Amino acid sequence: MQNVTQGASMADSTATTNNIQITKDRVKSWAACSDGYRWFLGKFPEGAEFVPVYRALIADKRGDDADWLVGKLFDELDTTTRVKQTAIIAGADAVAIAEQVAAGAEA
């Protein structure tokens, strides 16, 4: 989804919106490459939240596009929301962690 031309950072005008919804208009405003934009429209014509889009990119072996998406979206999120989204895509499972803590496992 990287575009050859780099514009001004969207973070300047939309910082800390904490909106994790990815829409075709948002992807377009981020100046996605045409291939990445077509992929997004094919997979998510109605849009989707960040995590399903990220996971679909990884599943389709589009790691560079997944990194691009993280960079674009995370520029617009506050730290707490970034951490939450990072924990989710990293596979952190709050229930499993709580069970391990309750069983006496070290964190």
Side-chain angles (χ1 to χ4, degrees):
M1 288 187 186
Q2 294 174 331
N3 192 326
V4 176
T5 60
Q6 299 295 321
S9 171
M10 289 297 293
D12 297 339
S13 62
T14 58
T16 66
T17 62
N18 294 324
N19 177 2
I20 59 170
Q21 188 69 24
I22 310 299
T23 64
K24 66 180 181 180
D25 291 335
R26 198 169 190 191
V27 172
K28 192 173 192 174
S29 76
W30 287 333
C33 67
S34 58
D35 181 54
Y37 187 68
R38 281 191 305 273
W39 176 92
F40 178 77
L41 292 178
K43 289 280 187 173
F44 301 98
E46 301 300 315
E49 288 192 347
F50 164 69
V51 171
V53 175
Y54 179 87
R55 288 182 175 160
L57 285 165
I58 296 300
D60 286 355
K61 299 184 180 354
R62 297 181 72 104
D64 288 344
D65 289 345
D67 290 345
W68 176 89
L69 178 64
V70 167
K72 292 295 185 181
L73 180 66
F74 280 29
D75 278 351
E76 299 178 7
L77 302 176
D78 68 16
T79 302
T80 301
T81 305
R82 272 184 264 166
V83 169
K84 287 179 184 177
Q85 294 304 302
T86 300
I88 293 168
I89 63 173
D93 182 339
V95 173
I97 292 169
E99 288 172 353
Q100 290 178 2
V101 170
E106 291 185 22

